[in-house]
Amino acid sequence: MTAPRRTVLKHPALAYLIVAFTALCCTAVVHSKLLALVYLVPLVAALYVARTATVVDEQGVHARAILGSRTVGWHELTGLRLDRSGAVYAVDSSGGQLKLPCVRSTRLDALIAAGNGRIPDPSAAR
């Protein structure tokens, strides 16, 4: 039996380059101490990039946000729902849906592979 894996699906590291560029652009408008509050925008953006993720481990699927996280356990997970915009939602047995950050329909294979067969493939049902 293999040891359980923990897979983290995050934003690409290139997103920090966008945050750095935003901080550089903020420098153009900062002319006083009060306007220095503009630097909070790239700071919050960096926090968002660092914190938001979808984690798949032996307990289930965890959606991490800036100010908290939610989990759908394996015994509760009934499937995935794909939105027209490409967003992916985990559907639990009560019908509730949990949006999975950093997972789009284009990265669905990585999520299904991380689930070790416990996540049903929504494209196979078609």
Side-chain angles (χ1 to χ4, degrees), residues 16-27 38-39 41-42 45:
Y16 288 109
L17 183 63
I18 296 168
V19 171
F21 181 73
T22 304
L24 183 67
C25 290
C26 287
T27 304
V38 171
Y39 284 120
V41 173

Side-chain angles (χ1 to χ4, degrees), residues 6-10 52-56 64 107 114:
R6 181 175 191 254
T7 303
V8 180
L9 301 170
K10 296 185 66 142
T52 56
T54 296
V55 180
V56 181
R64 270 192 346 212
R107 294 186 69 192

Side-chain angles (χ1 to χ4, degrees), residues 68-90:
S69 65
R70 287 189 47 207
T71 301
V72 175
W74 292 120
H75 61 283
E76 300 171 339
L77 184 69
T78 59
L80 298 175
R81 184 179 74 82
L82 304 178
D83 198 355
R84 285 187 182 194
S85 65
V88 178
Y89 296 84

Side-chain angles (χ1 to χ4, degrees), residues 15-125:
Y16 288 109
L17 183 63
I18 296 168
V19 171
F21 181 73
T22 304
L24 183 67
C25 290
C26 287
T27 304
V29 299
V30 175
H31 300 293
S32 68
K33 290 182 180 181
L34 183 63
L35 284 176
L37 293 174
V38 171
Y39 284 120
L40 290 176
V41 173
L43 183 67
V44 170
L47 180 64
Y48 174 80
V49 170
R51 176 80 178 132
T52 56
T54 296
V55 180
V56 181
D57 61 10
E58 63 274 357
Q59 274 82 36
V61 180
H62 312 277
R64 270 192 346 212
I66 291 178
L67 297 176
S69 65
R70 287 189 47 207
T71 301
V72 175
W74 292 120
H75 61 283
E76 300 171 339
L77 184 69
T78 59
L80 298 175
R81 184 179 74 82
L82 304 178
D83 198 355
R84 285 187 182 194
S85 65
V88 178
Y89 296 84
V91 181
D92 62 13
S93 56
S94 67
Q97 298 180 7
L98 174 63
K99 185 171 192 242
L100 301 176
C102 305
V103 178
R104 307 292 287 172
S105 57
T106 56
R107 294 186 69 192
L108 200 56
D109 293 335
L111 178 69
I112 292 171
N116 283 341
R118 294 178 282 200
I119 300 175
D121 188 356
S123 62

